[in-house]
Amino acid sequence: MGDENDLFSVAMLIDELKNENVQLRLNSIRRLATIATALGPERTRTELVPFLTDSNDDEDECLLAIAEELANLIPKVGGPEHAHVLLAPLENLATVEETVVRDKAVAAACAVGEAMTSEGATTHYVPCVQRLANGDWFTARVSACGMFAVAYRKVADAGVRSDLRKTYAQLCADETPMTRRAAAQHLGAFAGEIEPEHVRGEIMTLFKQLTTDEQDSVRLLAVEDCAKLGKILPREECVADVVPVVKKFAADKSWRVRYMVAQQLYELCESIGADIAREELLPSYEQLLMDGEAEVRIASAGGVSSFCALVGAAAAGEKIIPRVKELASDGSQHVRAALASVIMGLAPTMGKDQTIEQLLPIFLTLLKDEFPEVRLNIIAKLDQVNHVIGVDLLSQELLPAIKDLAEDIHWRVRLAIIEYIPLLASQMGTSFLFQKSEADGGDQLNALCLQWLSDRVYSIREAAAVNLQKLAEVFGAEWAKTHIMPKVMELMANPHYLYRMSVIKTMTLLAGCVGQELCMTEILPALKAAAKDRVPNVRFSVAKAFGDIASALDRGVVEGEIKPILNELGGDADADVRFFAQQSIATCEAKA
């Protein structure tokens, strides 16, 4: 009976894989591991895998799914000894036109190669790699490049390894730029598996060859090899052979190459050490910060904090900070935003005096930036500068920036600044957040709380309620009673029912952090009054709120104060009100 079921499953699978409906074929492919388990290792090897090898599905989505599932079949075909049978369908997938499918097939093939024994890899995996590397179509050769590192690591025979190095050299000189790009992309990983003497000889020859390629798409991928080779080579050889290439790349005629250098430079500097980085590569980094292309300046600005920490305060103050000052007023808002996201991290490196003297003016400039993301990025990282100089020196500029962001036309900007308020409160204390506003005579936080709780966007109102909860957690119940509750309660009289619902949400969140006394004196009376609201949405919000706050109250309060109101709401004319009231009653009873 079991064999019949197995045959039935395979027959169904084959029929579904031939079906014109793509979704049906995908569902079948996702069940390959289950089918293989039912078939057992031998029949999976002799029936299922050959069927997948011969499959002529032309839908990229299905091919991608097959590539993903094949890696999961290693234990299903009998483990490492038989894993090589999976290479046949993967070899086919590694030659298709769609890049995503090929990449997934290569990843799966590498997983299969890793699972194989050294003998199995020599017998099956290396020939597969060589066939792909000598394929007629560039797609096969591109895929082969990603498989060399595993092949080299798994085999021990010196002759086989020599053949692999020679084949890779052919790929680095391939007539198609796509193949050379792939060879450049994987050269670092391949070099990591090769013996040091061959790295210094053959691999460095290939590296220099790729760095002078006429195609900028090849050269920019060779940039990634600089940092990888820097970790493999002895420091002296890295300085002699890799650093000059990086310097040349930093001045490359292609902005894409310079962009890649800006992204990879810190990793290379880290591998060669601070002294050499300061002497050899600091001028190149300074040059990249002043690059004519905004994309290059963005990438360079993103690493300014890490780079300054590496080279030290003295070198940073002399060479980098002047360029940073220029970037703070860069014509591209994206450059300024990238700088704002990391510049606060300079404070620990520069120290208190230099931060006040050199960085503080830059902070203030960015806090006044017209682009909201720039101001947000500065405010988000205030904790880094607070540890060094405190934020009192920024306080006069912070409040206007926060207020402008709180009123920004884009709701996502308003949402972002709300999320930073608790962080500011914990760092700066209530004395800052409750400074009096010269414009209206009121304190800033109360005005912002009212503004956010009555925002036209629901996400803002919800975030405002969470914000007040976090502030109450930071400063305690007494502070909440004095500074939050009165202003929140004012909104209960708002004619717009959505804003009244925001207040109910706020009180529900506050109940868990202000204690039972404040719940009894402030929150519970307000909710009782709201239970008689004319709008059903408000009433069912109250019903939900009672269930949520029951955990913060004693059993006697729940029985004597909350359940009678919920019972009353349970007989409401509105079905939703009755539903949520019954849910909360069940919650209250579970508390017993």
Side-chain angles (χ1 to χ4, degrees):
M1 186 67 182
D3 290 341
E4 292 178 4
N5 288 336
D6 292 345
L7 290 170
F8 180 66
S9 297
V10 175
M12 284 185 59
L13 176 66
I14 292 174
D15 288 342
E16 290 174 359
L17 286 172
K18 293 179 179 179
N19 196 288
E20 292 184 1
N21 187 300
V22 175
Q23 189 57 53
L24 188 60
R25 297 207 301 274
L26 280 173
N27 293 340
S28 300
I29 293 167
R30 298 301 182 196
R31 291 167 39 226
L32 283 176
T34 303
I35 297 298
T37 301
L39 288 173
E42 185 176 351
R43 292 185 60 196
T44 298
R45 294 194 301 268
T46 58
E47 297 179 32
L48 183 59
V49 174
F51 171 74
L52 294 173
T53 304
D54 297 335
S55 175
N56 58 357
D57 199 314
D58 58 356
E59 287 289 339
D60 290 334
E61 193 175 1
C62 293
L63 296 177
L64 179 63
I66 291 173
E68 289 175 342
E69 291 298 322
L70 281 171
N72 299 327
L73 296 184
I74 296 173
K76 309 297 182 182
V77 297
E81 292 183 6
H82 301 283
H84 64 273
V85 300
L86 297 172
L87 291 175
L90 288 171
E91 187 174 343
N92 291 342
L93 292 171
T95 64
V96 302
E97 186 174 351
E98 177 56 46
T99 303
V100 177
V101 176
R102 291 203 311 271
D103 289 346
K104 186 61 69 174
V106 169
C110 288
V112 171
E114 291 283 11
M116 296 171 69
T117 62
S118 178
E119 295 77 10
T122 304
T123 305
H124 301 286
Y125 188 76
V126 171
C128 174
V129 174
Q130 292 284 15
R131 285 194 299 273
L132 288 170
N134 291 287
D136 294 333
W137 291 97
F138 78 90
T139 53
R141 302 195 296 274
V142 166
S143 294
C145 294
M147 299 169 63
F148 270 80
V150 173
Y152 204 90
R153 180 167 62 251
K154 295 296 292 188
V155 300
D157 185 89
V160 176
R161 286 188 162 192
S162 177
D163 289 341
L164 286 171
R165 295 196 302 274
K166 290 176 183 177
T167 304
Y168 203 90
Q170 294 171 9
L171 294 172
C172 289
D174 195 89
E175 62 182 357
T176 61
M178 293 77 75
T179 304
R180 300 199 302 277
R181 281 205 302 266
Q185 180 181 2
H186 297 286
L187 182 64
F190 187 42
E193 305 298 334
I194 295 177
E195 300 85 350
E197 62 271 19
H198 296 308
V199 172
R200 291 193 291 270
E202 298 173 38
I203 296 300
M204 289 308 298
T205 300
L206 298 178
F207 171 66
K208 292 173 182 177
Q209 175 183 320
L210 292 168
T211 60
T212 57
D213 196 279
E214 62 181 8
Q215 293 283 332
D216 65 348
S217 60
V218 176
R219 297 198 305 277
L220 71 88
L221 287 170
V223 172
E224 295 186 10
D225 297 325
C226 293
K228 294 175 181 176
L229 290 172
K231 295 177 180 178
I232 297 172
L233 293 170
R235 183 171 298 185
E236 297 76 14
E237 294 182 20
C238 180
V239 173
D241 297 329
V242 179
V243 169
V245 172
V246 174
K247 290 181 177 179
K248 184 186 72 171
F249 277 159
D252 196 275
K253 62 183 179 181
S254 169
W255 73 265
R256 296 197 299 166
V257 174
R258 302 195 304 275
Y259 172 83
M260 189 63 73
V261 173
Q263 285 198 318
Q264 300 288 326
L265 189 60
Y266 174 74
E267 189 177 353
L268 175 62
C269 289
E270 201 175 27
S271 66
I272 63 175
D275 292 340
I276 299 175
R278 193 182 305 113
E279 296 169 6
E280 299 286 344
L281 293 178
L282 185 55
S284 296
Y285 183 64
E286 187 180 4
Q287 178 182 339
L288 292 169
L289 288 170
M290 299 185 293
D291 197 272
E293 289 291 336
E295 287 81 359
V296 179
R297 298 197 301 278
I298 291 170
S300 303
V304 69
S305 177
S306 300
F307 205 94
C308 286
L310 180 69
V311 301
E318 181 183 353
K319 298 291 186 180
I320 299 178
I321 300 302
R323 304 286 81 82
V324 170
K325 289 179 181 177
E326 296 172 7
L327 292 178
S329 55
D330 194 276
S332 168
Q333 64 188 29
H334 302 294
V335 174
R336 302 195 305 274
L339 178 66
S341 67
V342 297
I343 192 172
M344 291 302 201
L346 288 173
T349 299
M350 302 305 294
K352 183 175 182 179
D353 293 340
Q354 288 299 310
T355 297
I356 294 173
E357 180 182 343
Q358 297 198 58
L359 297 180
L360 187 59
I362 304 176
F363 297 160
L364 297 177
T365 298
L366 294 171
L367 266 177
K368 298 175 184 176
D369 198 279
E370 63 181 359
F371 188 45
E373 186 179 348
V374 177
R375 285 172 278 154
L376 279 172
N377 287 348
I378 281 286
I379 292 171
K381 300 295 178 65
L382 276 176
D383 58 320
Q384 294 177 324
V385 76
N386 186 38
H387 295 311
V388 180
I389 64 170
V391 289
D392 293 340
L393 295 171
L394 293 172
S395 62
Q396 294 303 315
E397 306 296 336
L398 272 175
L399 276 177
I402 292 171
K403 194 169 189 305
D404 288 343
L405 291 167
E407 297 170 344
D408 194 273
I409 188 172
H410 301 291
W411 70 269
R412 294 186 187 277
V413 175
R414 301 197 301 275
L415 180 63
I417 193 59
I418 290 173
E419 294 172 349
Y420 293 137
I421 287 295
L423 173 65
L424 293 173
S426 62
Q427 293 173 359
M428 307 180 70
T430 58
S431 59
F432 164 74
L433 290 173
F434 287 95
Q435 289 183 53
K436 296 295 181 181
S437 168
E438 296 179 2
D440 58 15
D443 63 67
Q444 293 285 353
L445 182 59
N446 280 354
L448 290 177
C449 285
L450 287 173
Q451 186 172 319
W452 288 328
L453 282 173
S454 56
D455 195 277
R456 64 182 180 276
V457 177
Y458 168 76
S459 295
I460 301 296
R461 298 195 301 272
E462 185 176 44
V466 174
N467 168 56
L468 291 176
Q469 176 195 17
K470 291 180 178 179
L471 288 174
E473 290 173 349
V474 171
F475 297 117
E478 284 301 316
W479 178 87
K481 179 180 180 179
T482 304
H483 296 287
I484 291 182
M485 297 306 298
K487 293 296 184 180
V488 169
M489 293 303 177
E490 288 179 13
L491 276 178
M492 283 303 295
N494 193 293
H496 201 309
Y497 81 93
L498 290 175
Y499 301 155
R500 300 199 297 277
M501 291 176 68
S502 297
V503 175
I504 294 170
K505 175 70 172 179
T506 303
M507 290 190 291
T508 304
L509 293 174
L510 288 173
C513 60
V514 299
Q516 178 162 306
E517 182 179 350
L518 192 56
C519 284
M520 293 293 296
T521 57
E522 300 284 348
I523 295 176
L524 203 55
L527 290 178
K528 286 181 179 180
K532 301 183 183 299
D533 197 281
R534 66 183 183 279
V535 178
N537 293 49
V538 177
R539 297 199 301 276
F540 77 60
S541 295
V542 172
K544 290 167 64 178
F546 276 132
D548 291 334
I549 69 171
S551 59
L553 300 172
D554 292 338
R555 178 64 186 167
V557 176
V558 172
E559 291 292 336
E561 300 284 346
I562 292 180
K563 285 189 69 175
I565 301 173
L566 287 174
N567 289 329
E568 184 177 339
L569 291 172
D572 196 276
D574 186 88
D576 290 330
V577 177
R578 295 196 302 272
F579 172 78
F580 287 113
Q582 292 300 324
Q583 273 197 338
S584 293
I585 289 172
T587 301
C588 292
E589 290 175 349
K591 180 179 172 61

